[in-house]
Amino acid sequence: RWLSYRNDPKSSSPGVAKDFFLRREFTFVLEGDIFCRYLCFRDGEEFRSQMLSRMPIRMEIGAVFTHPPKNHTTVIKDAYKPVERELVFDIDMDDY
């Protein structure tokens, strides 16, 4: 839920951005350091289904863009921009 910030694609509320979750970029890293970038999902159920079928060893959660990340090559470069992202501090405690 927190990944969509209450912007549920199934909501009937007029103030909800139904494509908010679809515009968030995900990256799955598969066994053998295979990076699957520019992934996006319609909703939490599709996300969960893909997680279970692909079984990534690592996952990265990216920004919310103006367009779905899967379309990044078909959108004019100046029109494809991040509109929201979280501030994250990644502290690797085993390095200390």
Side-chain angles (χ1 to χ4, degrees), residues 3-4 7-10 18-23 26 40-50:
L3 289 173
S4 62
N7 288 294
D8 185 0
K10 297 175 183 151
K18 295 184 185 228
D19 66 341
F20 187 89
F21 195 76
L22 180 66
R23 292 183 289 118
F26 294 89
C40 56
F41 308 100
R42 286 185 307 274
D43 54 29
E45 289 88 32
E46 182 183 14
F47 172 69
R48 183 177 190 278
S49 170
Q50 286 297 313

Side-chain angles (χ1 to χ4, degrees), residues 5-64:
Y5 294 104
R6 299 191 189 269
N7 288 294
D8 185 0
K10 297 175 183 151
S11 174
S12 60
S13 177
V16 170
K18 295 184 185 228
D19 66 341
F20 187 89
F21 195 76
L22 180 66
R23 292 183 289 118
R24 183 178 289 278
E25 180 187 8
F26 294 89
T27 298
F28 288 170
V29 181
L30 307 178
E31 195 74 44
D33 265 354
I34 299 169
F35 281 73
C36 302
R37 292 197 59 209
Y38 305 108
L39 300 175
C40 56
F41 308 100
R42 286 185 307 274
D43 54 29
E45 289 88 32
E46 182 183 14
F47 172 69
R48 183 177 190 278
S49 170
Q50 286 297 313
M51 283 279 294
L52 293 173
S53 69
R54 293 185 181 198
M55 298 295 289
I57 58 171
R58 191 174 93 214
M59 179 184 71
E60 297 175 5
I61 300 170
V64 177

Side-chain angles (χ1 to χ4, degrees), residues 86-92:
E86 289 74 25
L87 175 63
V88 176
F89 296 97
D90 181 10
I91 301 170
D92 296 323

